[in-house]
Amino acid sequence: MGLFVLLGTVVAGIVILGRSREVPPDRVTPLFAPREPVAEAAPDIPVARFTDVTRMAGIGFRHESGAEGEKLLPETMGGGVAFLDFDGDADSDLLFVNGSRWPWARPAGAGGTGHALYRNDGGVFTDVSEGSGLGGGVGNPAMGVACGDFDNDGRVDLFLSGVGEAHLFRNEGGGRFREVTEGSGIEVTPEAWGTSAAFLDFDRDGRLDLFVCHYVRWSRAIDVEVDYRLVGIGRAYGPPMNFPGSFSRLWRNLGGGRFEDVSERAGIQVKNRATGQPMGKALGVAPVDFNGDGWIDLIVANDTVQNFAFSNRWDGTFAEVGVPSGLAFDTFGGTRGAMGIDSGRFAEDESLGVSIGNFANEMLALYVAQPDTLMFADEAISQGVGASSRLSLSFGVFFFDYDLDGWLDLLTVNGHIEEAIGKVQASQRYRQPAQLFWNARGSRRGRGFVPVSPTHAGQDLFQPLVGRGSAFADIDGDGDLDLVLTQVGGPPLLLRNDQDLGHEWVRFRLQGVRSNRDAIGAWVRLRGTRHTQWRQVMPTRGYLSQSELPVTFGLGEGETIQSVEVVWPSGLRQQLPGASIRLREMNGVIEPSP
């Protein structure tokens, strides 16, 4: 019986499997010939060439890094540069901040290498370092410079930062500076490492205070203990992950040449929550009112740790809001190797943009304020600067209108920190060209930034450099903005802007009365027939450096000025009718008296 049942089951299965199945209808996927993508309108990048006039203009400075084979981190970080009018003749002079041989590597009794001061004589420069009070040098390498009239006497003064160094110089007139650090209240410890610095009036009392970025806690012994190495190379310059963090410093100007350290009380000393130790590793600072309340705030670029955003509370203190504002991290919540920083209103809606130069393979940051909020988002990729900047290691960065079309463009100065990097990373070079991004909002394209090639800006701007500091000024009085770039252990690059596009322009020099005399922190708003432009009076831009105080507005072709408004650091607003503005000239504006 079992066999009969089994046999019946097999036969039934064969019959079932043998039945013909209904064949489903064919499914045909429609195919279409590929269509040619619709090409975006090519931007009308202007031809505006920069010419290397370094030697022609009389600049013979060469930076001293102090490197002698030990690979100590300060040696590769470079020095800053400043455009300033130290003699009051309305020309932009030049100061180059120099490094120095280390004290233990110098002959007994020898001083540091001197800084270089050049007087501008109509686009040609004369070395006036000797007798200036700045040429004698300092003990350890100097790095950053800040320019500002801290005593409101009408002459621009100087502050120089460095490794275990802080130097305040009062301008005595006649081309002479006198160091007044001792007795001023400005002091640093031997392990403090000052980098970028800024004069600003954070409490709106009419006197310039001083903010100084501090990088890491450093000494020769700490550096040797960290012992950063690259495979196949050995000891090398590297990022600061294994160096302890440091507190930046804020000194309040008390008047009479005295400053008070208010760093802790003001709330700018950010600690690591896990360790209680200083978190910051600051290389750049942008003093700017980022929340629009009329009080100057601070955005600090930190290397390998989160960036800080200090919101002014109006009472002498700040709230750190980097994380909630979106400025602390990249899009994915990570930190980057941040170097120089600048801010500017570059778009149609006048929203503030903050650009930060980052380490190689991290791309440039371009944080943009979002509508109706105090939130920023990194729009580097969508704004057209992300992909092109990914491989560069960017130090100096700033906004400026190089073609005078009325829209702020963007420049980065690049260079790696390790000479032998090409042996371990094929995509990297020690010397790297600068990058110029043209703001295409005035073109048919109408949005974003476009990388500029040597075809449109000339070869001189794109010479490979170990780039660090940078600044801009009109050195020859023709209205357009010229450039200076510095590099480690080499000569600077002075670039004359030779654009000849026929664009109109106007410049303003402000003098404060209630505000600080330099009007640092003031905003100038120019309303034209086509769009509104904003410029901030702020010499602190980029990395370790200072640009000129006067502000320049490009007017392009056919733009008519309707009005100009000055928002002074004191909070006072001053209206200037468009008919009173002189084109192609420097317009002096004095703050109304109380």
Side-chain angles (χ1 to χ4, degrees), residues 19-79:
R19 290 178 180 174
S20 59
R21 297 179 179 176
E22 184 178 350
V23 179
D26 293 337
R27 294 183 179 179
V28 180
T29 301
L31 299 177
F32 300 97
R35 296 181 179 180
E36 189 73 21
V38 178
E40 192 175 65
D44 306 317
I45 300 177
V47 175
R49 300 185 183 278
F50 288 88
T51 303
D52 181 356
V53 295
T54 312
R55 293 185 179 181
M56 184 191 319
I59 304 297
F61 171 78
R62 186 179 183 88
H63 179 259
E64 168 64 66
S65 70
E68 297 192 359
E70 284 192 272
K71 297 282 187 174
L72 302 176
L73 187 56
E75 299 164 356
T76 193
M77 301 305 288

Side-chain angles (χ1 to χ4, degrees), residues 7 60 156 185 294 379 486 497 501 555:
L7 180 61
V156 62
E379 299 181 3
T486 71
N497 188 336
L501 300 169
L555 300 175

Side-chain angles (χ1 to χ4, degrees), residues 240-274:
M241 277 88 75
N242 294 321
F243 286 87
S246 184
F247 288 137
S248 294
R249 306 288 288 276
L250 178 63
W251 282 283
R252 180 172 177 263
N253 191 338
L254 302 176
R258 292 281 303 168
F259 289 80
E260 176 191 10
D261 187 349
V262 295
S263 308
E264 183 175 5
R265 185 169 76 239
I268 66 158
Q269 295 186 341
V270 182
K271 296 180 180 180
N272 186 308
R273 292 183 179 180

